[in-house]
Amino acid sequence: MCVPLALTDGDNTSEHRALATLSQLTVTLVVSTCHSLVVGVVGLYIFLFDEAGIADPLWGDTSLGKVNIAIASGYLISDLLILIWYWKVIGDKYFVMHHCTALYAYHFVLKDGVLVYIGNFRLLAELSSPFVNQRWFFEALKYPKFSKANVINGILMTAVFFIVRIASIPPFYSYMYSVFGTEAYVRLGFLIQFSWTATCVVLDVMNVMWMIKISKGCIKIISLLRQEKARKSLQNGKLD
């Protein structure tokens, strides 16, 4: 998909720009997928096996956790710049809000060394991004909406998005409530306490919005597939 500009007609400037934009977006999505897999898998490892974080999720210090947050922050900054640069093509106010909110939260983790385990838990949400990106690749390659690959990816995207971004909401806020007022929580200070709650609420509201949109699309595709299957069965019955 990355077509070198030198291979296109030199007089067609608009076509050059379109191909350059398409090429950049393809690279951006590949980088997004790689980033998501790296920080998501590392975040999952920390969530399951990091002893310091499990023992003290608020103050447990882990070098790997900080590195993972730093990688995510660097990606968010670069992606934010790309969103602004190609605003007319991929600009989205909710993505900008998402990136800025996450960066604001992560700067406390990197600056003060607090909530490292919590920050990596939030990065588990990135495990849904490869499926979202794959949908774009299928569209760019002009795969039919009802193709097996497209349908399977859509179902997996909906399921994984729900697991890592929606199903995790109740236990997360339950834990937040359980530590409220404890000595470890008080030591965080009002600014970090408020920022922790506010940023998570903002991000989760957007996650719910996106989940609703994804679910509607998935239900629509499944309904159309059933209608298509019923139509073919009816036609086969008439032929018999």
Side-chain angles (χ1 to χ4, degrees), residues 58-59 104-105 107-109 111-115 176 184-200:
L58 272 59
W59 289 92
Y104 173 75
H107 105 274
F108 286 110
V109 177
K111 180 173 71 74
D112 300 318
V114 297
L115 303 176
M176 187 183 291
Y185 181 83
V186 172
R187 282 170 52 206
L188 292 174
F190 175 77
L191 180 59
I192 294 179
Q193 293 168 5
F194 174 79
S195 299
W196 177 19
T197 303
T199 54
C200 288

Side-chain angles (χ1 to χ4, degrees), residues 21-210:
T21 300
L22 182 61
S23 175
Q24 179 60 56
L25 294 180
T26 303
V27 172
T28 300
L29 287 173
V30 170
V31 173
S32 170
T33 299
C34 293
H35 156 265
S36 300
L37 290 173
V38 170
V39 299
V41 170
V42 173
L44 183 61
Y45 172 82
I46 291 172
F47 173 66
L48 295 175
F49 303 110
D50 185 74
E51 295 180 0
I54 294 172
D56 187 356
L58 272 59
W59 289 92
D61 196 0
T62 164
S63 298
L64 180 60
K66 288 182 179 178
V67 169
N68 207 33
I69 295 292
I71 292 173
S73 298
Y75 168 76
L76 288 172
I77 292 171
S78 66
D79 198 51
L80 186 59
L81 293 175
I82 291 172
L83 278 171
I84 295 172
W85 186 261
Y86 293 100
W87 184 260
K88 291 183 179 179
V89 181
I90 58 173
D92 188 302
K93 61 182 179 181
Y94 291 112
F95 284 164
V96 172
M97 189 185 303
H98 171 275
H99 287 16
C100 290
T101 302
L103 283 169
Y104 173 75
Y106 288 149
H107 105 274
F108 286 110
V109 177
L110 297 174
K111 180 173 71 74
D112 300 318
V114 297
L115 303 176
V116 179
Y117 186 79
I118 299 296
N120 277 274
F121 175 78
R122 299 292 308 194
L123 283 177
L124 294 180
E126 291 299 321
L127 291 172
S128 65
S129 295
F131 300 100
V132 177
N133 294 340
Q134 188 60 45
R135 183 182 65 172
W136 185 90
F137 285 120
F138 283 144
E139 290 180 359
L141 294 171
K142 301 190 183 304
Y143 270 59
K145 282 189 176 182
F146 298 126
S147 66
K148 188 175 181 179
N150 227 332
V151 172
I152 291 175
N153 180 72
I155 293 173
L156 287 174
M157 177 181 69
T158 305
V160 175
F161 195 99
F162 175 79
I163 292 170
V164 299
R165 293 179 183 257
I166 304 301
S168 61
I169 290 177
F172 178 77
Y173 287 100
S174 176
Y175 171 77
M176 187 183 291
Y177 177 77
S178 72
V179 299
F180 180 81
T182 62
E183 187 270 338
Y185 181 83
V186 172
R187 282 170 52 206
L188 292 174
F190 175 77
L191 180 59
I192 294 179
Q193 293 168 5
F194 174 79
S195 299
W196 177 19
T197 303
T199 54
C200 288
V201 169
V202 170
L203 292 173
D204 286 330
V205 166
M206 285 188 281
N207 284 332
V208 171
M209 289 170 51
W210 289 329

